[in-house]
Amino acid sequence: YLKISKLALAFAIIHSKPPGKSSKEYTEYLAKAVSEQDFGWKWKVEVLEAEVLRLRQELLLTRISPRFCLENRKQDTSAETLLGQESINPTSYSSQLEDSGCDVCNDSAFDSLGIASDFHRSEHDVNTSKHWLERVPPLSLCHSSKEQSVTAPVHFLQRLLEIRNLSEGGILQADFSELENDSFTICKSVSQLLDGLTVFYNSPKFPAPSFLTEGVRVLISLITDTKLSNHVLKKCFKKIEEFKKNLIKIILRNRSVNRFQALHSVSETLGLLGRNNILRNSLISLLLSEVRQFAEQLLQAHQVQSVYDITQYENIFFLCMILEQLLQNETGESNISSSNYGEEEKIKFLKNLDQIILHLSDEFPLLSLYLWRVSVLLNSGQMQ
């Protein structure tokens, strides 16, 4: 039956082909037309799914705080006006981010993006309702689906954080138990944001777009908030773990000439994620595993005098710096009972480490120094 159908289709194409076109050309034309129709339907489905998610987000916010959503609708017009002004006067960025990328930026470079500084500020100032209300949802300025993959969930999560801060200050009544009743919406929104950030980190632009830095800021605020983080981590832990793994892969596999600025931004994001006690433990385990595997591969290549990946060697220092920073924070805390990151991974890292450092110290002194410093921090944490 299939053969007969194919034969009938072939005859139909031959009989109906326009003059001046071969059967092959006409077949390719028809195939292209059909595939374009399929793409059109897929695009329509994606648009409808996005609209359904937006409506679910609106419904969830209304259930949490009906008064906030009512007042938020009244402020939409003024918010769009403010957004227009922001697009006319974009934020100025550090001159380091406009450089060729030959230098590894210091902490102030990422502060110029407003992420690290905002995170520290939020730790010391909980009653920031005005700060959150002044945040303008960038959804109305989306010009591409790529941008919307970040701005759409950010718009929803921003308003969730606004409600949280206003309720904390006693200005607004809110029922966050509704998050338990609609786990799909919060999980889908966070997943969408993480996927969008991953796409932009894979092909970064400088200066960084404002919606990208806002996306990172919202994500960090969300997972460090005492009330919301439990809901988010409980439902989206696997997705956040996948996001951390993707960021580590981006650091290790980036081969562009001007990659250091981009990798510095990714490193800062990983460092900020590691400030959360739950995420910190798993992140330390991931970093220990990657650094250990690279050190073992480098030792093997050095012993047989084979070629090693110089680009990955340069990139591994970003992971070493993040790992050292997280371990220093862990050791410096007064309560170290949470230091239960993968004991198995820790044992694997410390096993034969002295031998690895001994054999690599002459040829690779900087890496050997980092490995030694990490081992010291691991052992000091264990002694305490």
Side-chain angles (χ1 to χ4, degrees):
Y1 177 78
L2 185 61
K3 288 180 181 179
I4 294 171
S5 300
K6 287 181 178 179
L7 189 61
L9 178 62
F11 274 115
I13 292 172
I14 292 170
H15 282 300
S16 61
K17 74 180 180 65
K21 269 194 176 181
S22 67
S23 299
K24 182 181 179 183
E25 289 173 341
Y26 188 53
T27 305
E28 289 173 350
Y29 165 76
L30 291 174
K32 185 180 177 183
V34 171
S35 65
E36 284 176 352
Q37 287 179 358
D38 287 345
F39 177 77
W41 281 111
K42 287 178 182 176
W43 180 79
K44 287 178 182 177
V45 168
E46 288 175 1
V47 169
L48 290 172
E49 286 178 343
E51 180 63 14
V52 168
L53 179 60
R54 188 190 68 80
L55 292 172
R56 292 190 66 151
Q57 290 169 344
E58 292 288 342
L59 181 61
L60 179 58
L61 291 174
T62 304
R63 286 175 175 170
I64 294 173
S65 178
R67 179 189 156 196
F68 173 83
C69 292
L70 185 64
E71 292 179 356
N72 195 62
R73 289 191 191 98
K74 294 177 184 176
Q75 294 172 0
D76 280 347
T77 310
S78 59
E80 288 174 8
T81 308
L82 188 55
L83 258 178
Q85 293 172 357
E86 185 181 331
S87 63
I88 295 169
N89 303 310
T91 310
S92 60
Y93 294 93
S94 169
S95 58
Q96 286 178 313
L97 296 177
E98 297 169 1
D99 198 2
S100 64
C102 297
D103 259 348
V104 176
C105 307
N106 57 20
D107 289 343
S108 63
F110 199 68
D111 270 359
S112 67
L113 298 181
I115 297 172
S117 57
D118 274 11
F119 175 81
H120 292 304
R121 202 182 307 126
S122 65
E123 279 185 322
H124 300 293
D125 187 10
V126 225
N127 300 318
T128 52
S129 56
K130 288 185 180 179
H131 169 71
W132 284 107
L133 285 171
E134 286 168 3
R135 291 280 177 84
V136 181
L139 189 60
S140 57
L141 285 188
C142 286
H143 298 294
S144 70
S145 58
K146 187 180 176 184
E147 292 182 9
Q148 193 169 354
S149 66
V150 175
T151 54
V154 163
H155 178 57
F156 164 67
L157 296 172
Q158 274 179 333
R159 292 193 292 166
L160 190 63
L161 286 164
E162 287 174 18
I163 295 173
R164 169 74 178 98
N165 281 277
L166 290 171
S167 64
E168 184 73 13
I171 304 171
L172 199 70
Q173 287 188 346
D175 181 14
F176 288 99
S177 63
E178 289 292 336
L179 291 174
E180 295 285 353
N181 302 328
D182 191 1
S183 59
F184 171 83
T185 302
I186 185 75
C187 195
K188 182 69 176 176
S189 301
V190 174
S191 297
Q192 198 179 46
L193 174 58
L194 295 176
D195 290 339
L197 290 174
T198 304
V199 169
F200 275 96
Y201 275 132
N202 268 312
S203 52
K205 295 178 182 177
F206 290 99
S210 58
F211 60 83
L212 178 63
T213 55
E214 184 66 18
V216 177
R217 186 183 292 117
V218 166
L219 177 64
I220 300 302
S221 299
L222 195 67
I223 64 172
T224 51
D225 187 279
T226 52
K227 202 164 200 173
L228 296 178
S229 60
N230 290 334
H231 295 284
V232 174
L233 291 175
K234 187 165 60 176
K235 299 174 179 68
C236 312
F237 183 76
K238 288 184 179 179
K239 188 68 183 180
I240 296 176
E241 288 296 295
E242 183 186 335
F243 177 62
K244 291 190 295 185
K245 290 176 183 177
N246 287 334
L247 293 186
I248 291 174
K249 287 178 184 176
I250 289 171
I251 290 176
L252 289 176
R253 296 176 183 178
N254 194 315
R255 296 183 174 276
S256 63
V257 177
N258 296 332
R259 66 185 182 275
F260 295 112
Q261 295 164 354
L263 297 188
H264 180 75
S265 296
V266 179
S267 301
E268 286 286 353
T269 302
L270 277 171
L272 291 172
L273 288 171
R275 289 181 180 275
N276 180 278
N277 289 333
I278 299 173
L279 299 181
R280 179 196 303 158
N281 297 336
S282 58
L283 180 56
I284 289 176
S285 294
L286 285 172
L287 293 171
L288 284 173
S289 175
E290 291 292 345
V291 173
R292 174 184 58 81
Q293 289 177 39
F294 178 80
E296 290 174 351
Q297 291 168 7
L298 185 63
L299 175 62
Q300 188 177 3
H302 179 61
Q303 287 175 337
V304 298
Q305 296 297 306
S306 65
V307 180
Y308 65 93
D309 190 338
I310 182 64
T311 305
Q312 197 172 29
Y313 174 77
E314 292 172 346
N315 293 347
I316 200 70
F317 286 101
F318 287 95
L319 300 190
C320 291
M321 286 186 282
I322 302 167
L323 182 56
E324 185 179 19
Q325 175 193 348
L326 294 177
L327 289 173
Q328 282 175 342
N329 293 341
E330 188 81 13
T331 309
E333 289 178 356
S334 55
N335 181 16
I336 321 199
S337 59
S338 62
S339 307
N340 57 348
Y341 42 82
E343 192 65 29
E344 184 181 349
E345 200 53 59
K346 182 177 174 180
I347 293 170
K348 284 182 182 179
F349 184 87
L350 293 174
K351 185 181 180 182
N352 301 326
L353 185 65
D354 292 338
Q355 291 297 317
I356 293 174
I357 293 174
L358 179 65
H359 287 93
L360 294 181
S361 57
D362 289 338
E363 192 74 23
F364 308 100
L366 185 57
L367 179 64
S368 301
L369 179 62
Y370 265 109
L371 293 174
W372 175 77
R373 284 160 63 169
V374 168
S375 68
V376 169
L377 287 169
L378 285 172
N379 287 323
S380 65
Q382 189 175 23
M383 286 188 293
Q384 292 183 27

